[in-house]
Every structure is written in structure tokens, then in C-alpha cells.
Amino acid sequence: MPVLFWFQERLPDQGMSMAFRAVDLWQGRWTGLFTSMLLHGGWAHVIMNAVGALAFGTPVARLLSRRLAPLAFVALYIASGVVAAFGFALCHPDSASNLVGASGAVFGLIGAATRLMGGHGEVMPLFHSAVLKQAAVWMSVNLVIGLVGFAPGGGGASIAWEAHAFGFVFGLLAIGPVARWLGPRPDLRPAQV
């Protein structure tokens, strides 16, 4: 992310032509759904997202580490970001504001990691009390930050808390099937004494 932002700063328009705008989506211009994840609003913004991706992506990457599973990790990340931007567009269909950042994708990783809290490389059930409590905490913090409008790296910009919520829910739901398809297989051999 920091390398991409270094390049973004050197673009004539700071990359804003690749930002996501909800009104563009409804007019058939959907590329911003993807490219907005590659852009950020400043160094603090990109560092905050990079740290979040490293912290919460690590347990997900460990779970998805065999054969083609690393591609599933990348697909989960990208899909979370796309769902987040699309969710923002559903909430604000007439918005012409530039939406930039990987926060929706990072929140997808946070949602996925929330179901991995039990350890042992297993995905906890969606309705496990620990998962529900942690999800409630994350969404409460997200809502407060969105309503107050302050976040480290925000630089006074509006926080797309709705995009974060859509990304989080997507990650929370998607990690179950992804782990079943591509996660580690349980060792069914009898234990050696």
C-alpha cells in the first residue's frame, strides 16, 4: 500500500480519476469499485490501512496457505473491497464524493479474522457468542467513528463507515465457505502415543 501511494502522489490528479463515486456506478462506470482500493487520502490513511491489513490479514493468510488458497486470500480481500464500495453506493446512490482507500477490504479481513479467534486454525460458527460480541464491538466502534467523523489518517475527510460495515459483514460470512473449500483439512489419522 505505501508503494502504491508513493506512485499515486506522482499522478497528475493524485489518482482521483480512479476514485469510486456512487453516481458513476449507476451510469455504468464501475472500474472505481476496484481502483479505489489502490488509492488513499494521505500517508496516515495508507499506513493505518496497511497496519490493519497486516494485523488482521495474517490469521486469514495462515488459514489459506496451501495450494491455490493464497489466491483465495487475494480474492477475499478484493471482493471485500468491491462489496464495501457497492454497499456505500447502495446507501448513497447520488453521491459524487470520491471514495478512496482499502478500508472496506481491510474490514473484510477483520470480519474474517473475527471468526478465527478460537485459534487452532478453525473457523468459529457465525453465531458463536464470542463472534457476535466481537462483531458488535467492531460495528459499534465503526459507527462511532463514522458519526463523530474522526479517525487517524482521516484528515478531516468523511469516513465511509457504511463501506466498512459492508466489507466486515462480507468477510464475516465469506470466510466460512472459503475455509471449507480451501482451508487445511483436519488430520484424521489416529494420534500416536
Side-chain angles (χ1 to χ4, degrees):
M1 287 181 207
V3 171
L4 287 174
F5 185 68
W6 185 84
F7 284 112
Q8 177 189 337
E9 286 187 312
R10 281 138 187 84
L11 293 173
D13 66 347
Q14 297 281 305
M16 290 304 111
S17 60
M18 295 185 292
F20 176 74
R21 286 173 284 283
V23 294
D24 289 348
L25 180 65
W26 309 125
Q27 295 171 2
R29 295 184 299 271
W30 52 268
T31 55
L33 285 169
F34 300 98
T35 57
S36 63
M37 285 182 266
L38 306 173
L39 306 171
H40 284 86
W43 279 106
H45 187 206
V46 74
I47 289 169
M48 182 178 61
N49 277 335
V51 168
L54 284 171
F56 296 99
T58 300
V60 178
R62 283 187 184 135
L63 178 73
L64 302 175
S65 61
R66 65 179 188 85
R67 295 192 315 234
L68 294 177
L71 294 176
F73 174 85
V74 172
L76 175 69
Y77 179 83
I78 292 171
S80 295
V82 168
V83 167
F86 188 78
F88 180 83
L90 290 175
C91 294
H92 304 282
D94 299 325
S95 175
S97 299
N98 290 333
L99 184 69
V100 297
S103 303
V106 171
F107 265 85
L109 295 177
I110 293 170
T114 298
R115 292 198 49 202
L116 300 175
M117 291 184 308
H120 312 295
E122 296 176 11
V123 178
M124 294 174 67
L126 182 61
F127 294 107
H128 189 282
S129 63
V131 171
L132 294 175
K133 286 176 189 174
Q134 190 67 27
V137 168
W138 275 112
M139 288 301 93
S140 296
V141 169
N142 181 47
L143 182 62
V144 168
I145 287 173
L147 294 178
V148 171
F150 170 77
S158 297
I159 308 299
W161 63 272
E162 303 94 330
H164 299 166
F166 275 92
F168 179 85
V169 170
F170 179 80
L172 195 69
L173 296 173
I175 193 62
V178 169
R180 275 193 298 278
W181 295 330
L182 298 167
R185 300 288 182 241
D187 187 1
L188 301 176
R189 293 175 292 167
Q192 299 295 323
V193 183

